[in-house]
Amino acid sequence: MIEPLKHITAENIVSLEKLVYFLESQGETKQQLFSAARNIKLSHIGNVVHFRGLIEFSNVCRKNCYYCGIRKDNVQVKRYTLTEDEIISAAQFAYENGYGSIVLQSGENTSPAFIEFIEKIIKKIHANTAGKLGITLSLGEQTEETYRRWKEAGAHRYLLRIETSNPELYKKLHPNDHLHSYTTRLDCLLNLKKLNYQVGTGVMIGLPFQTLHDMANDLLFMYQFDIDMCGMGPYIEHAQTPLFAYRCTLLPLQQRFELTLKMIALLRILMPDINIAATTALQAIDPMGREKAIQMGANIIMPNITPAKYREHYLLYENKPCTDENADDCLTCLEARISMIDHRIGKNTRGDSLHFQKRQRNFQAYEPQLPGEDQ
Ligand code: SAH
Ligand code: SF4
């Protein structure tokens, strides 16, 4: 039996038992959780929301994750890849409209031509924006060498969700082959950290077979891995995927939504200075989903700035919002929505993870001096 807590802090919730207790909470305890997360965010980060202009530049993917609508074997998907010019103009749009950062996201492609294409684009965007526009990549599993090349070209953040920290559950969500290995995913995250990227990971919430224990372990995983950024959202079924067969076993969408808010709140309390995204999948369930997440601890929004004609072909899940709007519409409505919840947009700044900056300072402070160096 868990005693009610007077104050919720990282130290007093960092156990499997306590995290499960809060994931199950309702009524007053749930409100206590949300208000603790809100206060911790306001005191560490303030009421600033940073934008990441999301460019979903290709839906070509070599993988077959059982949950994802653009998986390789879904022959109903019309495959596309934006041209270099289209990607660069989307990045320019973000830069000129004060977004501060972009995310380049696509299906997983490891061909030498793709690696070079990305390297060239990063270099161009970096040069066009005098290195001021933040560049986040979300391009799946790659070799250490590829990650290094892209970092040297000018990218500095990488998002790679672990999807679930339970290796057994991971196996149920992916084909059993070398392309879909939990260990490789983890190794990639370790390589990204070694290369000094700002590293982001995350999970899906409300997956078939997933338990509250799994979710509590996901939070402990992110805490122990000492991540800099997180993007996690509800799992939403897609009819053209194998996992759709398990839709009757799922929690109702509203419960997946609420669990996601609780996960965000708990992570904010555990890791007060990381960047946490209010993901688009939340908005697919509740039109005010992202705003609610910001009030419970998130501080990043990723407006979709992919050219409108491609959006209907990047459907990872059903009911994906903003598929028929253009980027300007999204910007105008977002500015109004954010001020309605007493937050402001951190325009023209990259909004780097404070946690990462702190890690860097500590690393430099503790770096051992080599013999013969000035003391
Ligand atoms: N190919 C890259 C990036 C694109 S997929 C990668 O896999 O890392 C980006 C994220 O979309 C995935 O990490 C996954 O968590 C999420 N996603 C895929 N299918 C989803 C679904 N049905 N519901 C919710 N999120 C989904
Ligand atoms: Fe490809 Fe990413 Fe979808 Fe998996 S989740 S099928 S890697 S786009």
Side-chain angles (χ1 to χ4, degrees):
M1 180 67 192
I2 300 216
E3 294 289 319
L5 299 172
K6 259 213 188 99
H7 298 290
I8 306 182
T9 62
E11 292 71 33
N12 65 22
I13 63 165
V14 61
S15 75
L16 199 58
E17 196 191 19
K18 289 270 176 54
L19 292 170
V20 170
Y21 167 79
F22 280 109
L23 287 172
E24 281 172 335
S25 65
Q26 289 303 330
E28 227 173 275
T29 314
K30 183 178 84 179
Q31 290 316 323
Q32 193 198 5
L33 166 68
F34 288 157
S35 89
R38 184 166 31 244
N39 291 336
I40 286 177
K41 188 192 88 168
L42 290 176
S43 63
H44 284 80
I45 295 193
N47 64 346
V48 188
V49 174
H50 278 98
F51 278 176
R52 312 287 185 237
L54 176 63
I55 311 172
E56 297 165 334
F57 68 88
S58 174
N59 64 1
V60 176
C61 187
R62 65 177 187 149
K63 281 169 99 163
N64 260 316
C65 308
Y66 289 153
Y67 40 84
C68 178
I70 62 168
R71 61 199 300 274
K72 185 178 176 207
D73 286 355
N74 185 1
V75 291
Q76 298 187 50
V77 175
K78 189 169 165 255
R79 303 287 164 178
Y80 73 86
T81 300
L82 266 63
T83 63
E84 185 181 317
D85 284 350
E86 284 172 318
I87 302 175
I88 305 233
S89 354
Q92 198 61 28
F93 168 87
Y95 184 58
E96 284 164 11
N97 286 276
Y99 280 55
S101 296
I102 52 163
V103 178
L104 294 177
Q105 190 181 78
S106 71
E108 195 172 290
N109 187 340
T110 55
S111 71
F114 179 82
I115 294 166
E116 214 177 298
F117 177 68
I118 298 300
E119 185 179 38
K120 198 166 148 208
I121 283 170
I122 299 171
K123 280 187 181 157
K124 279 210 173 155
I125 296 175
H126 192 72
N128 291 351
T129 61
K132 288 190 192 137
L133 185 71
I135 304 178
T136 307
L137 303 179
S138 176
L139 311 174
E141 294 166 25
Q142 305 285 342
T143 62
E144 185 180 339
E145 182 47 31
T146 300
Y147 287 149
R148 179 177 294 111
R149 271 174 72 177
W150 291 343
K151 177 105 193 330
E152 280 165 6
H156 60 118
R157 308 186 187 115
Y158 207 101
L159 286 175
L160 185 72
R161 289 185 177 180
I162 191 73
E163 314 295 2
T164 169
S165 62
N166 176 346
E168 288 310 309
L169 178 55
Y170 194 94
K171 264 192 213 156
K172 293 188 182 140
L173 306 174
H174 298 94
N176 183 18
D177 61 30
H178 75 283
L179 276 189
H180 300 84
S181 136
Y182 178 85
T183 325
T184 308
R185 197 108 184 142
L186 198 55
D187 284 346
C188 285
L189 282 170
L190 290 167
N191 282 336
L192 289 164
K193 203 157 187 192
K194 190 165 87 183
L195 290 166
N196 216 20
Y197 274 95
Q198 293 177 44
V199 180
T201 192
V203 294
M204 281 176 283
I205 294 153
L207 288 158
F209 325 114
Q210 191 183 34
T211 65
L212 291 184
H213 268 80
D214 290 327
M215 294 175 211
N217 271 321
D218 291 341
L219 290 167
L220 292 174
F221 171 87
M222 293 190 266
Y223 180 73
Q224 280 152 6
F225 195 89
D226 202 22
I227 60 169
D228 303 305
M229 327 182 286
C230 176
M232 55 187 167
Y235 161 70
I236 302 177
E237 57 273 35
H238 188 300
Q240 293 148 18
T241 62
L243 274 197
F244 195 66
Y246 297 91
R247 64 192 176 284
C248 306
T249 68
L250 297 172
L251 291 172
L253 277 174
Q254 260 316 315
Q255 282 185 39
R256 283 178 250 164
F257 177 80
E258 188 168 285
L259 271 173
T260 306
L261 292 186
K262 288 176 181 168
M263 290 284 282
I264 289 176
L266 288 165
L267 188 65
R268 172 57 71 206
I269 297 167
L270 289 173
M271 308 190 77
D273 55 2
I274 64 168
N275 280 345
I276 303 181
T279 51
T280 313
L282 280 165
Q283 196 195 352
I285 299 181
D286 178 335
M288 289 294 285
R290 291 182 300 183
E291 289 77 2
K292 288 180 183 167
I294 286 168
Q295 289 175 303
M296 318 288 173
N299 67 318
I300 301 287
I301 285 193
M302 295 160 66
N304 196 336
I305 56 166
T306 312
K309 65 176 173 184
Y310 297 109
R311 293 195 200 170
E312 61 180 303
H313 306 300
Y314 199 87
L315 295 185
L316 305 172
Y317 48 83
E318 288 168 1
N319 292 327
K320 200 164 162 252
C322 270
T323 44
D324 53 6
E325 283 174 90
N326 61 40
D328 307 74
D329 292 337
C330 281
L331 180 63
T332 317
C333 73
L334 270 172
E335 284 191 296
R337 283 155 161 258
I338 284 163
S339 68
M340 251 160 53
I341 52 165
D342 291 329
H343 277 67
R344 63 181 179 85
I345 302 167
K347 277 198 157 182
N348 294 308
T349 50
R350 285 182 5 178
D352 284 324
S353 158
L354 296 177
H355 189 74
F356 177 78
Q357 293 172 12
K358 222 178 276 172
R359 278 206 299 123
Q360 295 300 100
R361 279 200 297 275
N362 289 345
F363 176 70
Q364 276 154 12
Y366 294 126
E367 207 169 18
Q369 295 237 302
L370 296 172
E373 278 188 352
D374 289 345
Q375 295 299 305

